[in-house]
Amino acid sequence: MFELRILVSRLAGAAGVALGVSSMVFLLLHCVPGDPVDVMLGEYAAAADRLALRNRLGLDLPLLEQWWHFVRGVLHGDLGVSLVSGVPVLELLSAHFVYTALLAVAALLLAVAVGVPLGVLAALRVGRAWDSVASVVAVLGMSLPSFVLGPLLIIAFAVQLRWLPVGGAEHGAGLVLPAVTLASGLAAVLTRMTRAAMLDALRLPHVQAARARGLGERAVVLGHVCRNAALPVVTVLALQLGALLGGAVVTETVFNWPGLGQLLVDAIARRDYPVVQGAVLLIALTYIVLNTLVDFAYPRLDPRIASAS
């Protein structure tokens, strides 16, 4: 019953959010200076050619009518075609989203592999060396943005040491540097969040009672502390996974990674309205799906939520 109620409410909310985001992007794009006809034909093209192309692309229609055509297309699963390449937007998005998903998953796994164990160690050894190491890693990860860390990694590991390629997806090794760049911020957040959640869980009465009953420290941590600390960590993880898609825009540009972010940047530069609208809509829907999955995971991580509902 809990899952069904969440599913219905989330589906209704998703439709409203998707419509609001796509409409906002549509209006903002048409407010930005620049004309896709100028980009495609050049500023010195003949007036007749410009008019013919504008008619063919539907850019001569009133703004409200263009918006309605876009919304109707989305409802029918048709995001239109690229104004520049003529390729269907869905085809472009599916081709580039694979690379973005690959980069995001690699960064997520790397961040979890570093951030969660480091946060656990920092909480279990609070005030000691591991706690200090975790604090330094977290500060470094949060203070170095992608557009700074990325070029530094390129200079160190691609230019000076020549261990890894500068960028691109032609080789598997090309994934390493962008994944590390994208994972650094998330690993820092996970370290801090895991440490705080573990410290809170260690103070819970039933954890103290388990210790008083003589239960071993490993059993207390794995059976009681980690389970209680998982809820806030999973919440942050899901929200940050959505943020990875946004952060990938910068990282993909730095490393020439052919993902959704680079497609979006190129489409904005060329005033390719359908591609920009489709990419933003896909990112918004990804956020919604991830948050819905987190809502479904809550009752399984903490049965008190299901019973309270």
Side-chain angles (χ1 to χ4, degrees):
M1 188 63 187
F2 178 78
E3 289 84 355
L4 180 61
R5 187 159 55 87
I6 288 182
L7 179 62
V8 173
S9 64
R10 283 295 180 180
L11 288 177
V17 172
L19 178 62
V21 170
S22 58
S23 300
M24 184 181 298
V25 172
F26 179 88
L27 293 174
L28 290 176
L29 274 175
H30 285 77
C31 293
V32 173
D35 190 336
V37 174
D38 290 340
V39 176
M40 297 170 70
L41 296 182
E43 297 181 0
Y44 303 104
D49 294 337
R50 293 167 58 84
L51 181 61
L53 181 59
R54 193 175 294 280
N55 291 337
R56 183 167 64 84
L57 298 177
L59 297 175
D60 59 327
L61 298 174
L63 193 61
L64 185 61
E65 191 172 349
Q66 291 184 48
W67 172 81
W68 172 243
H69 285 167
F70 169 68
V71 172
R72 191 174 58 183
V74 171
L75 294 176
H76 288 84
D78 180 14
L79 297 179
V81 297
S82 167
L83 298 182
V84 177
S85 64
V87 177
V89 174
L90 277 177
E91 186 177 328
L92 283 174
L93 293 181
S94 59
H96 288 265
F97 187 73
V98 172
Y99 289 99
T100 296
L102 178 63
L103 177 59
V105 170
L108 180 70
L109 294 176
L110 184 60
V112 170
V114 174
V116 173
L118 200 55
V120 171
L121 284 173
L124 296 178
R125 292 168 174 75
V126 64
R128 300 179 186 175
W130 274 112
D131 196 15
S132 301
V133 170
S135 298
V136 171
V137 170
V139 170
L140 284 176
M142 287 188 288
S143 59
L144 284 175
S146 299
F147 60 86
V148 174
L149 180 60
L152 290 177
L153 292 177
I154 290 176
I155 293 172
F157 293 98
V159 178
Q160 297 294 332
L161 299 174
R162 298 184 179 181
W163 289 352
L164 296 166
V166 174
E170 292 80 11
H171 306 287
L175 179 63
V176 176
L177 291 183
V180 172
T181 303
L182 199 57
S184 62
L186 178 56
V189 173
L190 281 178
T191 301
R192 300 295 294 268
M193 177 55 68
T194 304
R195 179 183 182 275
M198 288 288 292
L199 288 176
D200 289 340
L202 284 168
R203 301 188 189 101
L204 291 174
H206 72 276
V207 174
Q208 302 293 334
R211 281 176 169 162
R213 291 197 306 271
L215 201 62
E217 187 66 19
R218 181 187 294 271
V220 171
V221 171
L222 295 178
H224 298 277
V225 180
C226 288
R227 184 166 186 173
N228 284 281
L231 199 61
V233 174
V234 168
T235 303
V236 171
L237 196 60
L239 295 176
Q240 290 296 317
L241 181 56
L244 283 181
L245 298 176
V249 173
V250 177
T251 304
E252 289 176 0
T253 304
V254 171
F255 289 96
N256 194 29
W257 186 259
L260 196 61
Q262 194 174 48
L263 176 68
L264 181 60
V265 171
D266 291 341
I268 291 174
R270 296 177 180 180
R271 302 294 187 273
D272 198 346
Y273 297 154
V275 176
V276 176
Q277 290 162 178
V280 174
L281 182 63
L282 178 59
I283 292 174
L285 289 176
T286 305
Y287 269 96
I288 295 168
V289 170
L290 289 174
N291 279 284
T292 304
L293 291 177
V294 171
D295 286 338
F296 277 96
Y298 275 164
R300 288 162 178 77
L301 291 173
D302 190 347
R304 292 173 298 180
I305 295 178
S307 59
S309 66

